[in-house]
Amino acid sequence: MDTGGKESWGSAPDAAAIDALARVAIAQLPDVFRQYLGDVVLQVEEFADAETLQALGIDDPFALSGLYRGRPVGEKSISDNAALPDIITLYRRALLDEWVESGETLERLVTHVLVHEVGHHFGLSDDDMHALEDAPGP
C-alpha cells in the first residue's frame, strides 16, 4: 500500500477494542472475585463528562482513566434491589494518552485500571490499593 512516503500507523484502538481487553482481564481474575462481578456493568466512554469531573474535583479529562460507581460488595443489603447497577467505566482517550506516555502495553494498562476499579467494587480505597501495589511480592 502506497502511503505517499508517510509511515502508516493505523488507527487508535476503538471502544470495542478497549472493552475486549477489559473483558479478557475480567476473565483472568480469580473465581472468588469474578463471582461478584456478574451484575457489574462494564462500559467504555471517550472521556468522563463535565459533571463527573466536577464531582471528583478533576480539571483535566485525561486525568481520569476509569471510574467505579455503585455500592461496594460489603455494603450491599437485601433492600438494595431497586438500586441502580454497579458500573465500571473505562475512559478510552485517557487510557490511550496514558498508554503512549507510559510505554506500558495497552493490555497491561487496561488490566491495571480495571483491577483498580474492581478493587473499589470490593470496598478498597485508593490508599488501600496503592499500599497493596507497593507491598513486596510473595
Side-chain angles (χ1 to χ4, degrees):
M1 174 177 167
D2 185 290
T3 59
K6 295 183 179 179
E7 189 72 38
S8 176
W9 294 97
S11 58
D14 62 10
I18 301 294
D19 183 84
L21 291 172
R23 293 189 187 280
V24 167
I26 289 171
Q28 293 175 347
L29 292 172
D31 288 340
V32 69
F33 297 112
R34 247 190 5 257
Q35 69 182 341
Y36 293 101
L37 297 175
D39 294 332
V40 175
V41 174
L42 175 64
Q43 60 188 21
V44 179
E45 296 179 1
E46 289 299 293
F47 286 110
D49 59 37
E51 184 178 313
T52 299
L53 293 170
Q54 183 178 15
L56 296 171
I58 298 173
D59 294 327
D60 180 4
F62 284 99
L64 185 63
S65 54
L67 181 66
Y68 169 74
R69 287 189 176 120
R71 291 189 59 190
V73 172
E75 296 177 17
K76 294 188 184 295
S77 75
I78 195 85
S79 63
D80 289 342
N81 59 4
L84 294 173
D86 295 330
I87 300 171
I88 292 176
T89 305
L90 300 178
Y91 298 107
R92 187 183 82 90
R93 295 285 306 278
L95 283 165
L96 295 179
D97 194 59
E98 188 173 342
W99 173 43
V100 169
E101 288 180 5
S102 72
E104 286 284 339
T105 66
L106 186 56
E107 294 85 355
R108 214 166 171 178
L109 178 60
V110 169
T111 297
H112 174 78
V113 173
L114 178 82
V115 167
H116 183 92
E117 301 314 325
V118 167
H120 287 308
H121 178 64
F122 287 98
L124 297 175
S125 70
D126 284 334
D127 289 340
D128 293 335
M129 285 182 274
H130 290 302
L132 288 171
E133 289 172 350
D134 294 341

